[in-house]
Amino acid sequence: MKAAASTKLVYDFAEGSREMRELLGGKGANVAEMTRVLGADRVPAGFTITTEACVAYMQGDREFPDGLDEQVAEALARLEEQAGKTLGDAEDPLLVSVRSGARESMPGMLDTILNLGLNDESVEGLGGDRFAWDSYRRFVQMFGNVCRGIPGERYEDLISEVGRDLDADGLQALTERFKRVFQDETGEEFPNDPREQLKQAIRAVFDSWLGDRAVSYRRINHIPDEWGTAVNVQQMVFGNRGERSCSGVAFSRDEVTGEPKPSGDFLVNAQGEDVVSGVRTPRDLPEMKDVMPDAYDELREILSTLEQHYRDMQDTEFTVEEGRLYMLQTRSAKRPAQAAVRFAVDAVEEGLLDKPEAIATIDADRLDALLHPHFKRGAKFDVLAEGVPASPGAAKGAIVFTAADAVAAAAEGRDVVLVRPFTEADDVAGFHAAKGILTAEGGKASHAALVARGMGKPCVAGAGTLQVDLKAKTVTVEDTTLSEGDLIAIDGSAGVVTADDVELEEADVSEHFETVLGWADELRDLGVRANADTPHDAAKAREFGAEGIGLCRTEHMFMAEDRQPKMRAMIMAESEDDRRKALDALLPLQQQDFEGLFEEMSGLPVTIRLLDPPLHEFLPSAEDLAAELEHARNEGSPDVGELEHTLDRVHSLSETNPMLGTRGVRLGVLHPEVYEMQVRAIVRGALAVEAPPQVEIMIPLVAYEKELELMRELVERVIDEEGGEHLDLKIGTMIELPRACFVADRIADHADFFSFGTNDLTQTALGFSRDDVEGRFLTRYMERKVLDRSPFETIDAPGVGWLVRLAAWVGRESHPGLKLGICGEHGGDPESIHFFQLAGLDYVSCSPYRVPIARVAAAQAALG
Ligand code: PEP
Ligand code: MG
């Protein structure tokens, strides 16, 4: 498909605004907006080729859409007129940068070309001096690399040969050699015509949207392939024009901690690429005050203006050319959780935002990082190296040196730290797979650091004493050499590296985070409970602000070593008599468990689910038993008979995934004595504690209303027998089967509450076995775009979500005031929480560590 010839595919910066993000991409929209706010003399002029042009290019077999060539030529003519210079002019050339800019920023994932317009003539027009030849040399290198895929090493090897300290003649010679590399690699001459250069550069940016690293990044960040990228063509200004020039990246507040002071990196006499590529280690922004005080003051002022205008923390790129400051780009800063929380609190205090607006600036999913471990306070360890604290949190694991090795290790469930010489964003998948990232070069604004922070991965960058040998797969610091597989630990908040097995400690919630959580609680409608099975988990959950327990999986209480044999005896019992004996042994233990839980949660609701056991988890493995039996037979052991019997029983009880056999209420119907024992223990436990909670007894895996009716009778009878009528006890069910959703009105007749078990509901609605889906077809399904994420992480809103809405609706229709909660894994997923708010549920329940995330996400959901 081609864009209609009349479609406007190119916009001058002066025509755009921040509302046009979808069409102009984030960078294009922001640069246009910034031109309005700061004035045209602060922002170099240019134009944006729309994302629609990119989409038409992708759909049209990589052909430029109709009209694009002409519209680019017209925009270029306008730019030339405004600049008073002509692209590639031999006297005084206009030079441009060509940069990608997708709707969501994808740091380092797409391509950029600088100094376009230089050729053998215009290099003289630029001055023909060292600066001019250095600019030309960079352009030839970048053009070959980005437009024609010539490996960076081809150029870096030549630079290593001659060194970086070249004069104009040296640079001219190097440029000639670079052009020969281009010819060797492509069989073509380096394009001397600036308009041809521009055309190829635009094509390269479009193509970079389809490149592997951009595709990986989009998968991880759930960015649709169909968006495409815009292309920004902007007049060049030069940060490499001597000692009064510099390039840098500036954040309006500290990009790691969120403290209200500008931060970032800059390099004197350098171009922007030098700052982010990590080839030279940049200087801290505040040092600019000493080097270029006037430009620094102007920059501070501009950062504040931009922050006030956008009402958000900004991440900018700037260049000082011979003392004059230019702003090249601004965008809302991606920030780690720590900075997000700090900014929200400060912004409200400063009157920049109100509370709902401040809460909305936080990416709830990323708050996870604040709950991540750090090095145990006071822990003794030898510091192997120090670097830039580029992304907070601590990580420990075996060393790997390539992204591919990180991915492979993660697939095997091993914890690894990815160690690299310098910051490359080449394989995002490796970042995702590793527990942490360590680099020898680069700063906080390097691509690797940005990506790591975005993912909430701990990262130490620029640890300059590390010598990483990728061939030998070793890393050396002075006389210590570590090899692949050796342990390493990093603290991305402190910038510290050690080879010691230092203990990691859980995070505690900071004062700023507490403030944000307090606001979230004021703003949200949804309740937040925790899934907890032990007093320890319950205590943690309360600490994190859970308002009760939404799911206590009682089968987990029997996993402990002293319980397993008793539980096994109960399962293996062949007569009711034997089963009752085994249950009698379990009853006091179970009662103890409940008492512990009730004490922790005094006064709050506690939902206890009666047994829903994957029975085989409690049984010995059939293979082990068979081996033992064979051994016993060979030895002539007296245990043979017993073992044979056990093996028979194990065979008769065995079930295979997706384990939809004798689970949940089916067990209660088959062996009511099991549920009787549990209810007895619950009632006795509640009677035993001083301040009993509001106990909710929950029947799992119900499909038929009759199942619940039978169980309700049983539960009420036992409550009576135990003298618990006066207790605050409710009886309800999990809704985790499609049939239960369809007949929720009938089931609601017997229920005081519903709790959606979206794990099983997803499994049964989709027919995906929840235990097998990950390793098998899910990845391919995502690659083929059948799915964009696991339905076990984020609720499948149109499918499974529809069942939830249906059940909530008909359930409440037949039983007004029916309490509705959700306790599947989705209860801690921000996007799913938005959905549950819309579906009208009363609360979500999730693992204790997700509780703070759920509180913030629930507030955001309430704000819409
Ligand atoms: C569920 O199915 O969503 C649920 C919470 O129960 P479980 O994960 O224990 O099956
Ligand atoms: Mg379930």
Side-chain angles (χ1 to χ4, degrees):
M1 192 191 80
K2 295 206 163 188
S6 58
T7 309
K8 185 166 168 63
L9 299 170
V10 180
Y11 286 77
D12 291 351
F13 289 167
E15 293 177 293
S17 73
R18 67 169 141 173
E19 284 75 36
M20 295 168 74
R21 196 180 180 91
E22 286 184 19
L23 191 61
L24 302 182
K27 192 176 294 177
N30 278 329
V31 120
E33 184 79 14
M34 193 164 64
T35 307
R36 282 165 196 262
V37 178
L38 302 179
D41 54 345
R42 271 290 176 221
V43 185
F47 55 87
T48 304
I49 300 164
T50 64
T51 54
E52 272 177 19
C54 177
V55 171
Y57 173 82
M58 291 190 293
Q59 289 173 344
D61 280 337
R62 305 199 185 203
E63 291 263 346
F64 275 7
D66 292 345
L68 183 60
D69 280 329
E70 296 77 1
Q71 292 188 39
V72 167
E74 287 159 19
L76 183 60
R78 288 193 296 275
L79 177 59
E80 288 176 331
E81 195 181 315
Q82 194 176 342
K85 299 179 184 197
T86 311
L87 191 68
D89 188 65
E91 300 292 317
D92 181 17
L94 168 71
L95 302 183
V96 294
S97 64
V98 180
R99 295 166 192 256
S100 60
R103 204 190 292 187
E104 293 287 329
S105 98
M106 299 168 56
M109 296 305 130
L110 303 170
D111 286 328
T112 290
I113 296 161
L114 303 180
N115 308 338
L116 187 139
L118 278 172
N119 58 20
D120 295 345
E121 293 77 46
S122 61
V123 68
E124 297 300 340
L126 194 62
D129 53 4
R130 184 183 185 286
F131 154 74
W133 280 105
D134 190 42
S135 302
Y136 193 14
R137 180 282 291 174
R138 286 163 186 268
F139 170 58
V140 174
Q141 179 176 355
M142 242 184 242
F143 189 91
N145 182 246
V146 169
C147 296
R148 308 308 290 268
I150 300 172
E153 295 93 81
R154 291 280 282 140
Y155 301 106
E156 289 300 332
D157 287 351
L158 293 182
I159 295 175
S160 303
E161 249 177 58
V162 294
R164 287 192 183 274
D165 252 346
L166 298 178
D167 60 11
D169 289 343
L171 286 162
Q172 179 171 5
L174 188 60
T175 308
E176 285 309 322
R177 292 181 75 184
F178 278 10
K179 287 210 266 179
R180 281 201 293 280
V181 168
F182 186 91
Q183 201 158 9
D184 287 352
E185 291 276 340
T186 65
E188 292 167 28
E189 287 223 9
F190 190 83
N192 206 48
D193 172 6
R195 276 150 227 275
E196 177 58 27
Q197 293 171 354
L198 180 58
K199 191 165 178 173
Q200 288 195 28
I202 294 169
R203 183 182 293 281
V205 173
F206 284 162
D207 287 338
S208 72
W209 177 259
L210 299 166
D212 289 345
R213 76 188 151 145
V215 170
S216 295
Y217 186 93
R218 290 203 292 275
R219 292 281 171 281
I220 291 165
N221 291 283
H222 306 302
I223 295 175
D225 292 341
E226 298 72 34
W227 282 0
T229 178
V231 185
N232 298 291
V233 178
Q234 188 172 26
Q235 181 177 1
M236 285 293 305
V237 283
F238 296 94
N240 54 338
R241 225 169 201 169
E243 295 305 306
R244 289 180 57 236
S245 303
C246 73
S247 291
V249 174
F251 296 83
S252 59
R253 302 183 187 229
D254 189 290
E255 79 271 35
V256 175
T257 65
E259 275 174 81
K261 58 177 180 32
S263 72
D265 296 318
F266 78 108
L267 274 173
V268 172
N269 197 7
Q271 286 200 317
E273 282 307 291
D274 303 330
V275 182
V276 293
S277 69
V279 171
R280 277 167 67 188
T281 299
R283 301 171 66 173
D284 258 352
L285 188 72
E287 291 175 28
M288 198 180 143
K289 192 174 173 46
D290 307 326
V291 192
M292 299 172 197
D294 293 344
Y296 183 69
D297 285 346
E298 282 172 359
L299 178 62
R300 286 194 67 143
E301 196 140 312
I302 285 174
L303 289 173
S304 156
T305 305
L306 289 173
E307 216 183 53
Q308 293 288 333
H309 179 75
Y310 282 94
R311 305 177 74 225
D312 198 5
M313 183 171 157
Q314 295 297 296
D315 164 0
T316 69
E317 280 177 26
F318 67 91
T319 288
V320 177
E321 180 177 326
E322 298 186 318
R324 169 126 193 86
L325 173 68
Y326 294 94
M327 300 306 292
L328 305 184
Q329 189 192 161
T330 190
R331 60 187 172 200
S332 282
K334 284 192 191 255
R335 63 209 86 167
Q338 191 185 350
V341 162
R342 175 77 195 253
F343 171 73
V345 173
D346 289 344
V348 171
E349 273 171 17
E350 293 164 18
L352 184 66
L353 301 176
D354 62 21
K355 288 180 196 174
E357 288 168 334
I359 291 267
T361 62
I362 295 173
D363 182 346
D365 228 356
R366 306 256 187 260
L367 293 173
D368 217 14
L370 291 184
L371 309 160
H372 277 326
H374 49 79
F375 284 180
K376 190 177 164 72
R377 275 184 236 296
K380 297 233 180 315
F381 57 86
D382 288 326
V383 174
L384 179 71
E386 283 181 279
V388 178
S391 180
K396 185 163 79 169
I399 297 175
V400 289
F401 290 100
T402 68
D405 288 344
V407 172
E412 291 166 15
R414 285 188 292 127
D415 290 352
V416 292
V417 173
L418 180 61
V419 180
R420 300 285 301 166
F422 49 84
T423 49
E424 273 186 330
D426 234 22
D427 195 339
V428 199
F431 281 55
H432 198 58
K435 290 279 161 196
I437 296 127
L438 169 63
T439 66
E441 291 168 32
K444 267 188 256 179
S446 64
H447 294 146
L450 284 182
V451 174
R453 280 206 296 282
M455 287 181 181
K457 295 277 174 186
C459 174
V460 175
T465 52
L466 297 183
Q467 286 183 319
V468 182
D469 184 337
L470 291 177
K471 287 214 180 79
K473 296 203 167 180
T474 59
V475 51
T476 304
V477 184
E478 289 162 9
D479 45 12
T480 309
T481 295
L482 301 173
S483 305
E484 188 179 42
D486 287 349
L487 182 111
I488 200 158
I490 61 167
D491 183 337
S493 317
V496 168
V497 184
T498 178
D500 293 347
D501 190 0
V502 52
E503 200 177 324
L504 303 186
E505 193 172 58
E506 297 303 329
D508 35 38
V509 175
S510 77
E511 198 186 311
H512 294 109
F513 196 14
E514 282 296 358
T515 305
V516 164
L517 288 169
W519 295 343
D521 292 347
E522 287 167 25
L523 295 167
R524 68 189 158 91
D525 307 323
L526 278 170
V528 178
R529 299 193 192 177
N531 296 352
D533 314 319
T534 62
H536 173 266
D537 288 354
K540 193 92 218 160
R542 279 201 84 160
E543 209 179 288
F544 284 144
E547 298 159 311
I549 290 179
L551 173 63
C552 165
R553 292 176 162 106
T554 50
E555 57 279 5
H556 291 178
M557 295 173 156
F558 299 109
M559 296 284 188
E561 226 168 315
D562 58 329
R563 312 276 170 95
Q564 275 247 4
K566 297 188 175 70
M567 181 70 177
R568 193 178 289 172
M570 192 276 283
I571 295 170
M572 301 279 284
E574 280 164 87
S575 68
E576 190 182 323
D577 235 22
D578 286 350
R579 188 167 305 105
R580 281 196 186 277
K581 272 195 207 118
L583 286 167
D584 285 347
L586 284 169
L587 177 64
L589 301 171
Q590 179 92 99
Q591 180 182 335
Q592 243 174 36
D593 291 338
F594 292 141
E595 277 176 37
L597 213 54
F598 293 164
E599 265 158 17
E600 285 297 341
M601 302 308 286
S602 72
L604 296 177
V606 175
T607 311
I608 296 174
R609 177 175 79 187
L610 300 187
L611 214 53
D612 179 14
L615 286 178
H616 72 271
E617 283 182 17
F618 292 94
L619 300 175
S621 99
E623 288 90 52
D624 290 355
L625 271 176
E628 215 181 309
L629 179 59
E630 191 181 318
H631 183 73
R633 280 191 185 127
N634 292 341
E635 302 279 300
S637 150
D639 297 339
V640 169
E642 172 79 27
L643 282 166
E644 279 173 347
H645 182 73
T646 311
L647 186 58
D648 280 350
R649 191 78 182 126
V650 166
H651 279 311
S652 77
L653 288 168
S654 81
E655 290 177 356
T656 43
N657 283 329
M659 296 189 303
L660 288 170
T662 317
R663 275 189 54 195
V665 67
R666 298 162 202 170
L667 183 84
V669 173
L670 217 54
H671 305 302
E673 56 279 11
V674 178
Y675 279 11
E676 277 173 24
M677 178 280 282
Q678 290 200 287
V679 178
R680 234 176 265 294
I682 292 170
V683 178
R684 289 183 190 181
L687 289 171
V689 297
E690 225 169 276
Q694 311 158 36
V695 182
E696 301 175 342
I697 296 177
M698 181 157 78
I699 312 296
L701 224 70
V702 164
Y704 295 90
E705 61 273 25
K706 186 72 185 174
E707 291 169 326
L708 187 59
E709 193 185 335
L710 289 174
M711 291 305 111
R712 189 169 186 112
E713 278 165 22
L714 176 152
V715 173
E716 284 176 344
R717 174 171 52 75
V718 178
I719 294 173
D720 274 356
E721 285 169 12
E722 294 294 327
E725 308 85 336
H726 63 285
L727 289 169
D728 185 0
L729 278 168
K730 299 211 161 44
I731 303 166
T733 181
M734 292 193 72
I735 300 288
E736 44 189 347
L737 294 172
R739 187 180 196 278
C741 297
F742 295 130
V743 301
D745 50 340
R746 301 176 190 209
I747 292 177
D749 286 341
H750 308 282
D752 301 326
F753 65 88
F754 283 173
S755 178
F756 289 95
T758 46
N759 303 334
D760 276 313
L761 190 57
T762 300
Q763 153 162 289
T764 51
L766 300 178
F768 286 178
S769 162
R770 58 196 267 191
D771 297 291
D772 308 322
V773 66
E774 295 286 344
R776 314 264 161 130
F777 54 85
L778 200 63
T779 315
R780 179 51 70 88
Y781 261 46
M782 295 206 269
E783 278 166 16
R784 302 298 313 268
K785 300 190 203 146
V786 180
L787 293 170
D788 64 359
R789 66 191 76 185
S790 165
F792 290 97
E793 278 168 28
T794 297
I795 190 105
D796 159 42
V800 179
W802 168 244
L803 289 171
V804 172
R805 286 174 55 193
L806 173 69
W809 171 36
V810 300
R812 277 214 181 118
E813 210 164 57
S814 101
H815 182 160
L818 181 73
K819 185 147 199 167
L820 301 174
I822 135 85
C823 63
E825 285 305 298
H826 307 90
D829 171 63
E831 195 173 321
S832 307
I833 291 172
H834 273 77
F835 173 80
F836 298 132
Q837 164 95 17
L838 291 176
L841 304 197
D842 296 307
Y843 69 86
V844 296
S845 187
C846 54
S847 81
Y849 282 90
R850 302 290 298 182
V851 165
I853 298 169
R855 286 162 72 191
V856 172
Q860 293 172 336
L863 295 166

